[in-house]
PDB file of all heavy atoms in Angstrom:
ATOM      1  N   GLY G  41      17.231   2.522   3.788  1.00 98.00           N
ATOM      2  CA  GLY G  41      16.551   3.687   4.238  1.00 98.00           C
ATOM      3  C   GLY G  41      15.331   3.495   4.973  1.00 98.00           C
ATOM      4  O   GLY G  41      14.764   4.375   5.633  1.00 98.00           O
ATOM      5  N   LEU G  42      14.712   2.219   4.874  1.00 98.00           N
ATOM      6  CA  LEU G  42      13.480   1.947   5.599  1.00 98.00           C
ATOM      7  C   LEU G  42      13.666   1.917   7.056  1.00 98.00           C
ATOM      8  O   LEU G  42      12.742   2.070   7.878  1.00 98.00           O
ATOM      9  CB  LEU G  42      12.881   0.587   5.106  1.00 98.00           C
ATOM     10  CG  LEU G  42      12.499   0.490   3.593  1.00 98.00           C
ATOM     11  CD1 LEU G  42      12.095  -0.941   3.334  1.00 98.00           C
ATOM     12  CD2 LEU G  42      11.414   1.453   3.290  1.00 98.00           C
ATOM     13  N   ASP G  43      14.894   1.686   7.539  1.00 97.00           N
ATOM     14  CA  ASP G  43      15.168   1.554   8.895  1.00 97.00           C
ATOM     15  C   ASP G  43      15.594   2.883   9.564  1.00 97.00           C
ATOM     16  O   ASP G  43      15.760   2.931  10.777  1.00 97.00           O
ATOM     17  CB  ASP G  43      16.289   0.531   9.112  1.00 97.00           C
ATOM     18  CG  ASP G  43      15.907  -0.837   8.649  1.00 97.00           C
ATOM     19  OD1 ASP G  43      14.686  -1.165   8.759  1.00 97.00           O
ATOM     20  OD2 ASP G  43      16.798  -1.623   8.077  1.00 97.00           O
ATOM     21  N   VAL G  44      15.873   3.874   8.757  1.00 97.00           N
ATOM     22  CA  VAL G  44      16.409   5.151   9.320  1.00 97.00           C
ATOM     23  C   VAL G  44      15.282   5.884  10.115  1.00 97.00           C
ATOM     24  O   VAL G  44      14.311   6.306   9.605  1.00 97.00           O
ATOM     25  CB  VAL G  44      16.893   6.044   8.153  1.00 97.00           C
ATOM     26  CG1 VAL G  44      17.323   7.384   8.724  1.00 97.00           C
ATOM     27  CG2 VAL G  44      17.968   5.411   7.400  1.00 97.00           C
ATOM     28  N   GLY G  45      15.570   5.924  11.408  1.00 98.00           N
ATOM     29  CA  GLY G  45      14.622   6.652  12.285  1.00 98.00           C
ATOM     30  C   GLY G  45      13.280   5.872  12.501  1.00 98.00           C
ATOM     31  O   GLY G  45      12.371   6.501  13.077  1.00 98.00           O
ATOM     32  N   LEU G  46      13.206   4.617  12.187  1.00 98.00           N
ATOM     33  CA  LEU G  46      12.003   3.887  12.297  1.00 98.00           C
ATOM     34  C   LEU G  46      11.528   3.862  13.763  1.00 98.00           C
ATOM     35  O   LEU G  46      12.296   3.590  14.690  1.00 98.00           O
ATOM     36  CB  LEU G  46      12.146   2.491  11.774  1.00 98.00           C
ATOM     37  CG  LEU G  46      10.864   1.640  11.740  1.00 98.00           C
ATOM     38  CD1 LEU G  46       9.831   2.255  10.835  1.00 98.00           C
ATOM     39  CD2 LEU G  46      11.167   0.163  11.313  1.00 98.00           C
ATOM     40  N   GLY G  47      10.229   4.237  13.974  1.00 97.00           N
ATOM     41  CA  GLY G  47       9.810   4.337  15.369  1.00 97.00           C
ATOM     42  C   GLY G  47       9.509   5.810  15.676  1.00 97.00           C
ATOM     43  O   GLY G  47       8.805   6.093  16.685  1.00 97.00           O
ATOM     44  N   GLU G  48      10.229   6.723  15.051  1.00 98.00           N
ATOM     45  CA  GLU G  48      10.016   8.084  15.292  1.00 98.00           C
ATOM     46  C   GLU G  48       8.744   8.703  14.687  1.00 98.00           C
ATOM     47  O   GLU G  48       8.209   8.021  13.658  1.00 98.00           O
ATOM     48  CB  GLU G  48      11.178   8.968  14.689  1.00 98.00           C
ATOM     49  CG  GLU G  48      12.574   8.669  15.349  1.00 98.00           C
ATOM     50  CD  GLU G  48      13.654   9.397  14.669  1.00 98.00           C
ATOM     51  OE1 GLU G  48      13.421  10.218  13.846  1.00 98.00           O
ATOM     52  OE2 GLU G  48      14.797   9.201  15.093  1.00 98.00           O
ATOM     53  N   SER G  49       8.205   9.767  15.188  1.00 97.00           N
ATOM     54  CA  SER G  49       6.964  10.394  14.645  1.00 97.00           C
ATOM     55  C   SER G  49       7.192  11.864  14.751  1.00 97.00           C
ATOM     56  O   SER G  49       7.609  12.357  15.880  1.00 97.00           O
ATOM     57  CB  SER G  49       5.730   9.895  15.356  1.00 97.00           C
ATOM     58  OG  SER G  49       4.616  10.496  14.731  1.00 97.00           O
ATOM     59  N   GLY G  50       6.822  12.621  13.687  1.00 97.00           N
ATOM     60  CA  GLY G  50       6.980  14.003  13.738  1.00 97.00           C
ATOM     61  C   GLY G  50       8.366  14.521  13.347  1.00 97.00           C
ATOM     62  O   GLY G  50       8.658  15.752  13.482  1.00 97.00           O
ATOM     63  N   THR G  51       9.292  13.669  13.012  1.00 98.00           N
ATOM     64  CA  THR G  51      10.654  14.114  12.679  1.00 98.00           C
ATOM     65  C   THR G  51      10.831  13.993  11.182  1.00 98.00           C
ATOM     66  O   THR G  51      10.011  13.366  10.391  1.00 98.00           O
ATOM     67  CB  THR G  51      11.689  13.219  13.336  1.00 98.00           C
ATOM     68  OG1 THR G  51      11.655  11.907  12.788  1.00 98.00           O
ATOM     69  CG2 THR G  51      11.344  13.172  14.851  1.00 98.00           C
ATOM     70  N   ASP G  52      11.986  14.540  10.663  1.00 98.00           N
ATOM     71  CA  ASP G  52      12.181  14.584   9.229  1.00 98.00           C
ATOM     72  C   ASP G  52      12.664  13.201   8.723  1.00 98.00           C
ATOM     73  O   ASP G  52      12.767  13.051   7.478  1.00 98.00           O
ATOM     74  CB  ASP G  52      13.201  15.663   8.889  1.00 98.00           C
ATOM     75  CG  ASP G  52      12.666  17.068   9.154  1.00 98.00           C
ATOM     76  OD1 ASP G  52      11.479  17.261   9.072  1.00 98.00           O
ATOM     77  OD2 ASP G  52      13.521  17.939   9.412  1.00 98.00           O
ATOM     78  N   SER G  53      12.987  12.219   9.586  1.00 98.00           N
ATOM     79  CA  SER G  53      13.415  10.954   9.092  1.00 98.00           C
ATOM     80  C   SER G  53      12.355  10.258   8.260  1.00 98.00           C
ATOM     81  O   SER G  53      12.756   9.337   7.469  1.00 98.00           O
ATOM     82  CB  SER G  53      13.856  10.118  10.258  1.00 98.00           C
ATOM     83  OG  SER G  53      12.781   9.712  11.087  1.00 98.00           O
ATOM     84  N   VAL G  54      11.144  10.679   8.420  1.00 98.00           N
ATOM     85  CA  VAL G  54      10.057   9.907   7.656  1.00 98.00           C
ATOM     86  C   VAL G  54      10.289  10.111   6.127  1.00 98.00           C
ATOM     87  O   VAL G  54       9.904   9.089   5.422  1.00 98.00           O
ATOM     88  CB  VAL G  54       8.677  10.497   8.068  1.00 98.00           C
ATOM     89  CG1 VAL G  54       8.517  11.955   7.592  1.00 98.00           C
ATOM     90  CG2 VAL G  54       7.565   9.685   7.448  1.00 98.00           C
ATOM     91  N   PHE G  55      10.903  11.110   5.644  1.00 98.00           N
ATOM     92  CA  PHE G  55      11.015  11.269   4.250  1.00 98.00           C
ATOM     93  C   PHE G  55      11.959  10.235   3.669  1.00 98.00           C
ATOM     94  O   PHE G  55      11.793   9.684   2.578  1.00 98.00           O
ATOM     95  CB  PHE G  55      11.531  12.706   3.969  1.00 98.00           C
ATOM     96  CG  PHE G  55      10.605  13.770   4.296  1.00 98.00           C
ATOM     97  CD1 PHE G  55      10.850  14.609   5.435  1.00 98.00           C
ATOM     98  CD2 PHE G  55       9.417  14.016   3.571  1.00 98.00           C
ATOM     99  CE1 PHE G  55       9.875  15.622   5.776  1.00 98.00           C
ATOM    100  CE2 PHE G  55       8.471  14.998   3.950  1.00 98.00           C
ATOM    101  CZ  PHE G  55       8.760  15.769   5.052  1.00 98.00           C
ATOM    102  N   ARG G  56      13.038   9.941   4.440  1.00 98.00           N
ATOM    103  CA  ARG G  56      13.953   8.859   3.897  1.00 98.00           C
ATOM    104  C   ARG G  56      13.229   7.531   3.784  1.00 98.00           C
ATOM    105  O   ARG G  56      13.436   6.852   2.821  1.00 98.00           O
ATOM    106  CB  ARG G  56      15.175   8.868   4.888  1.00 98.00           C
ATOM    107  CG  ARG G  56      16.188   7.688   4.527  1.00 98.00           C
ATOM    108  CD  ARG G  56      16.984   7.967   3.260  1.00 98.00           C
ATOM    109  NE  ARG G  56      17.872   6.809   2.960  1.00 98.00           N
ATOM    110  CZ  ARG G  56      19.052   6.620   3.513  1.00 98.00           C
ATOM    111  NH1 ARG G  56      19.442   7.532   4.465  1.00 98.00           N
ATOM    112  NH2 ARG G  56      19.823   5.611   3.187  1.00 98.00           N
ATOM    113  N   ARG G  57      12.579   7.238   4.792  1.00 98.00           N
ATOM    114  CA  ARG G  57      11.832   5.878   4.794  1.00 98.00           C
ATOM    115  C   ARG G  57      10.769   5.821   3.764  1.00 98.00           C
ATOM    116  O   ARG G  57      10.699   4.897   2.966  1.00 98.00           O
ATOM    117  CB  ARG G  57      11.110   5.632   6.179  1.00 98.00           C
ATOM    118  CG  ARG G  57      12.137   5.590   7.352  1.00 98.00           C
ATOM    119  CD  ARG G  57      11.476   5.057   8.628  1.00 98.00           C
ATOM    120  NE  ARG G  57      10.372   5.921   9.114  1.00 98.00           N
ATOM    121  CZ  ARG G  57      10.533   7.038   9.808  1.00 98.00           C
ATOM    122  NH1 ARG G  57      11.719   7.383  10.238  1.00 98.00           N
ATOM    123  NH2 ARG G  57       9.516   7.733  10.260  1.00 98.00           N
ATOM    124  N   SER G  58       9.921   6.886   3.645  1.00 98.00           N
ATOM    125  CA  SER G  58       8.833   6.900   2.739  1.00 98.00           C
ATOM    126  C   SER G  58       9.338   6.898   1.251  1.00 98.00           C
ATOM    127  O   SER G  58       8.825   6.095   0.508  1.00 98.00           O
ATOM    128  CB  SER G  58       7.984   8.134   2.989  1.00 98.00           C
ATOM    129  OG  SER G  58       6.898   8.190   2.200  1.00 98.00           O
ATOM    130  N   PHE G  59      10.288   7.597   0.957  1.00 98.00           N
ATOM    131  CA  PHE G  59      10.773   7.669  -0.486  1.00 98.00           C
ATOM    132  C   PHE G  59      11.639   6.534  -0.805  1.00 98.00           C
ATOM    133  O   PHE G  59      11.746   6.162  -1.985  1.00 98.00           O
ATOM    134  CB  PHE G  59      11.346   9.016  -0.727  1.00 98.00           C
ATOM    135  CG  PHE G  59      10.300  10.123  -0.993  1.00 98.00           C
ATOM    136  CD1 PHE G  59       9.764  10.752   0.054  1.00 98.00           C
ATOM    137  CD2 PHE G  59       9.961  10.423  -2.283  1.00 98.00           C
ATOM    138  CE1 PHE G  59       8.742  11.722  -0.187  1.00 98.00           C
ATOM    139  CE2 PHE G  59       8.928  11.363  -2.553  1.00 98.00           C
ATOM    140  CZ  PHE G  59       8.347  12.029  -1.449  1.00 98.00           C
ATOM    141  N   SER G  60      12.228   5.859   0.253  1.00 98.00           N
ATOM    142  CA  SER G  60      12.894   4.635  -0.057  1.00 98.00           C
ATOM    143  C   SER G  60      11.916   3.552  -0.534  1.00 98.00           C
ATOM    144  O   SER G  60      12.182   2.788  -1.486  1.00 98.00           O
ATOM    145  CB  SER G  60      13.665   4.201   1.231  1.00 98.00           C
ATOM    146  OG  SER G  60      14.746   5.042   1.564  1.00 98.00           O
ATOM    147  N   ALA G  61      10.786   3.508   0.129  1.00 98.00           N
ATOM    148  CA  ALA G  61       9.719   2.532  -0.296  1.00 98.00           C
ATOM    149  C   ALA G  61       9.306   2.839  -1.737  1.00 98.00           C
ATOM    150  O   ALA G  61       8.951   1.971  -2.506  1.00 98.00           O
ATOM    151  CB  ALA G  61       8.593   2.638   0.652  1.00 98.00           C
ATOM    152  N   LEU G  62       9.142   4.117  -2.057  1.00 98.00           N
ATOM    153  CA  LEU G  62       8.733   4.513  -3.382  1.00 98.00           C
ATOM    154  C   LEU G  62       9.685   4.100  -4.394  1.00 98.00           C
ATOM    155  O   LEU G  62       9.340   3.695  -5.477  1.00 98.00           O
ATOM    156  CB  LEU G  62       8.437   6.058  -3.427  1.00 98.00           C
ATOM    157  CG  LEU G  62       7.407   6.538  -4.441  1.00 98.00           C
ATOM    158  CD1 LEU G  62       6.010   5.791  -4.298  1.00 98.00           C
ATOM    159  CD2 LEU G  62       7.175   8.066  -4.361  1.00 98.00           C
ATOM    160  N   VAL G  63      11.002   4.289  -4.155  1.00 98.00           N
ATOM    161  CA  VAL G  63      12.012   3.859  -5.180  1.00 98.00           C
ATOM    162  C   VAL G  63      11.958   2.347  -5.219  1.00 98.00           C
ATOM    163  O   VAL G  63      12.121   1.749  -6.312  1.00 98.00           O
ATOM    164  CB  VAL G  63      13.360   4.371  -4.698  1.00 98.00           C
ATOM    165  CG1 VAL G  63      14.432   3.701  -5.582  1.00 98.00           C
ATOM    166  CG2 VAL G  63      13.501   5.919  -4.804  1.00 98.00           C
TER     167      VAL G  63
END
Side-chain angles (χ1 to χ4, degrees):
L42 298 174
D43 299 325
V44 175
L46 186 60
E48 296 177 2
S49 182
T51 70
D52 292 334
S53 67
V54 66
F55 296 107
R56 174 73 181 279
R57 297 191 300 275
S58 180
F59 280 83
S60 293
L62 205 56
V63 172

